[in-house]
Amino acid sequence: MRICETPDSPLRGSSGVTFAGRFAIIYKADLRAPMFQDRLQAQLLPALQAAFKTLFGHELDAKAIGFQSTRPEFEGDVTINVFPFLKISGKGPEQTAQAIGEHLQANVPIVARFNVVKGFLNLLIADSYWLEFLNEAGAKDILAFPANGRKVMVEYSSPNTNKPLHLGHMRNIFLGHSVSRILQSAGNEVVRVQVINDRGIHICKSMVAWQKYGKGETPASVGVKGDKLVGKYYVEFDKVYKREIEVFVAAGKSPELAEKEAPILLEAQEMLRKWEANDPDVRALWEKMNGWVYDGFNATYTRMGVEFDKLYYESQTYVLGKNDVLEGLKKGVFYEKDGAVWVDNTAEGLDEKVLLRRDGTSVYMTQDIGTAIARFTEFPGLSQLIYTVGNEQDYHFKVLFIILKKLGFEWASELFHLSYGMVDLPSGKMKSREGTVVDADELIEEVVSEARAAGEQLSKLDEFSAEEKTALFEMIGLAAVKYYLLKVDPKKRMLFDPAASIDLQGHTGPFIQYTYARIKSLLRKADPMSTWSHEHMGTWPLLPEERAVIKLLHQFPAVLNEAAIRLEPSTVANHAYELVKAYNTFYQTVPVLKEEDDAKRSFRLALSGAVAGATKKAMWCLGSRCRSGCSPMVPSVFALSAPFAALSDQNFGHGMIRGFLLLGFLGHS
């Protein structure tokens, strides 16, 4: 969705947890059923309850049972800690685990065998279960949950209109956009919004500088993106401001007074007063320069492949909240002191906060109160509102959420601040006023150029046209940036390394893309009439490499569920990497096309197709842009009972696949 051309656009519980390995089933207070239940646990839970009834005469609550992934040094797939049940069994830990294991092995077909290690029951799940799961995965998108009736709003980006988007914005944008897609895949209706900070003294600084020094230049006249041109004059303002301060200080004024009386700052403050008074000339200049910025933002958003459903403008939202604060004052929620309206949050361990100044003007908190209320009014049935904002605003959102609860809004408990840490480059921090900020366009171009340089150095793409190379390196570069920023826990401060992000054999987005391309190439070479179902498997046991890949596929819905609950795309990013890493081990050690047994070959192709489907969907959840027409459902990739020729991906062309393979390493098939 494009940002509108002018600023006249419309405005802008408690839970119980049962752990599934390292993933959680969450029982939300406002839902009748869990958001997600692991397929394997759905079979093991009633079997365990039956075992306790038979062995110990006890009706066991399903929520009392915890599952863990078996540690790699022991045989098994699922581990159950029996120590919490010793009072029920009346036996020691090993005897209790042994009795439960024997009962499950005798009565539950999917339990092949078990072992006991000091009160921990390790269950080995039969191959038949994994094969049935793989066959089921071929009939549907395992990373698409049914609609759950929840509507979630995600706010992200929210830039100022005095400069281009920069590296910090990129983490914000990719984090918010990825969370919105993960929530969508988990069955939520998602509304994507941003607040465009299009007013204030910082905007007027760019306007004054352009008016004084711009000589009428426009983005078209100088061939520069509009956001960069406006940002240039924001930097110019700061340079002039510093020179004026130096002159005043040299003349004997104190630095504090010089900062307040610098002529260019006074001009900007006067321009802001005229803007607030609706001066027609100032408003016209403001609309023109903001329009340039919107065009620049749109170009960057389009390249990034992100979108918004609704845009809010601070020039319209800043008037909201005053009446709500005054109503709270009448109800005794707030209090008046020295003519200003305050809120007292000392009981919550915070401080007192001004909500309306003595002259009746609002503060940022005031408009955030009004905007939140307006959103829940505008979108009836909204279940949750997520703010993607850096961790420097942690305190602000704590205060905001407390205020809205004090005003009596039940939905205030469903507000969430998706906080994230700063991003650094090897060269250090960013400072926009000094003109050393690393803007988003330049960083993306740098990573794309890194990919191009690495690819052309291999001299394997000589037969590709310039357009094909450009498309290939653009796809690699964008995936590299997004994945590198998203694979890290958002709460952590991180260092972005452009060169490391494009490694085709590292923990990177391009490595995942490369594996996807490898699988697509493999499927293109396969017999077009090859089909598979678990009934054709025969009697041979699964190889460890096959089992490892299937288990990671099996875990992916739980990973997606965890990501949707915790709002952490890093869980999806890292599991996708583990999946493709396991697949590459499988691919390097197990014959696929060269397998002589038709049934085994077809099965391994089906497994490959399932990995491709899950990988593509995972990358979609991380915001990686497919070419035109990409569907998040990717049904063709999962149609494993259909001929393998149907698995061809029209949006990931044969040339792209060949390009990735030429840039990577070629193994056997």
Side-chain angles (χ1 to χ4, degrees), residues 134-150:
L134 182 62
N135 199 53
E136 186 179 290
K140 65 179 183 180
D141 180 352
I142 62 172
L143 297 183
F145 295 2
N148 59 27
R150 300 181 76 242

Side-chain angles (χ1 to χ4, degrees), residues 521-588:
S521 177
L522 181 72
L523 297 177
R524 286 178 184 274
K525 297 174 185 177
D527 180 353
M529 295 310 295
S530 293
T531 60
W532 177 84
S533 75
H534 75 283
E535 297 172 354
H536 300 151
M537 180 63 183
T539 57
W540 70 87
L542 283 173
L543 296 174
E545 295 86 355
E546 295 168 335
R547 174 183 277 264
V549 174
I550 296 175
K551 284 177 65 176
L552 286 165
L553 278 171
H554 183 275
Q555 292 170 3
F556 226 148
V559 172
L560 178 67
N561 183 65
E562 180 187 33
I565 293 166
R566 299 184 180 181
L567 305 178
E568 288 188 10
S570 60
T571 59
V572 172
N574 290 301
H575 194 80
Y577 171 70
E578 293 299 326
L579 175 62
V580 300
K581 187 169 66 170
Y583 179 83
N584 276 286
T585 299
F586 155 80
Y587 183 86
Q588 293 290 339

Side-chain angles (χ1 to χ4, degrees), residues 328-339:
L329 180 63
K330 290 180 183 178
K331 294 179 179 180
V333 176
F334 309 131
Y335 68 95
E336 190 171 356
K337 182 175 70 174
D338 298 329

Side-chain angles (χ1 to χ4, degrees), residues 471-483:
L472 175 63
F473 295 130
E474 181 80 3
M475 183 178 291
I476 293 173
L478 283 169
V481 175
K482 292 180 182 182
Y483 187 88

Side-chain angles (χ1 to χ4, degrees), residues 392-443:
E392 70 276 8
Q393 295 295 323
D394 285 353
Y395 187 84
H396 174 87
F397 284 100
K398 286 180 183 178
V399 174
L400 173 63
F401 299 166
I402 288 172
I403 290 173
L404 289 166
K405 286 179 182 178
K406 287 183 174 182
L407 287 172
F409 295 105
E410 293 183 4
W411 45 257
S413 61
E414 294 300 326
L415 301 175
F416 185 83
H417 174 206
L418 181 53
S419 178
Y420 61 90
M422 184 177 291
V423 184
D424 294 317
L425 288 169
S427 58
K429 300 180 182 179
M430 304 171 293
K431 296 181 181 179
S432 59
R433 287 190 304 275
E434 296 177 3
T436 58
V437 64
V438 180
D439 78 43
D441 297 315
E442 292 174 359
L443 185 58

